[in-house]
Amino acid sequence: MGVQIFVTTHNYVFLKELELAMTSKNDICFYSMYKIANDIHCHTAKKLDELEPNLIDETYNDLLDRQIVKDF
């Protein structure tokens, strides 16, 4: 359709839903913007698991790890 949509989120579940909804016809890119010292950097990937750094994924994994430790 020639339409670009930009979505900004910190929601891991929403990101995974987007990734799961992708088809071979989709041209989707994931971006990670981060700051080192006073410089802003950006990394682009076609797959969510290839995105580095992925602070949303790291935070979600940390949350799950803490829940597992608490439960046992």
Side-chain angles (χ1 to χ4, degrees):
M1 291 177 56
V3 176
Q4 288 185 344
I5 299 172
F6 293 89
V7 176
T8 303
T9 186
H10 294 134
N11 187 311
Y12 176 82
V13 175
F14 180 67
L15 284 173
K16 288 306 285 186
E17 286 290 345
L18 287 177
E19 185 178 49
L20 291 171
M22 288 173 46
T23 67
S24 59
K25 290 183 176 184
N26 298 132
D27 188 18
I28 295 176
C29 291
F30 294 94
Y31 296 89
S32 175
M33 298 183 75
Y34 54 98
K35 188 175 181 180
I36 299 176
N38 289 327
D39 296 322
I40 303 295
H41 299 268
C42 181
H43 183 255
T44 305
K46 289 288 189 177
K47 295 181 180 178
L48 187 56
D49 62 349
E50 295 173 353
L51 196 60
E52 289 292 334
N54 186 338
L55 298 177
I56 296 170
D57 189 43
E58 292 171 22
T59 301
Y60 189 76
N61 287 336
D62 179 59
L63 177 67
L64 290 176
D65 290 343
R66 289 185 291 135
Q67 182 67 52
I68 290 168
V69 168
K70 184 176 181 180
D71 288 346
F72 293 101

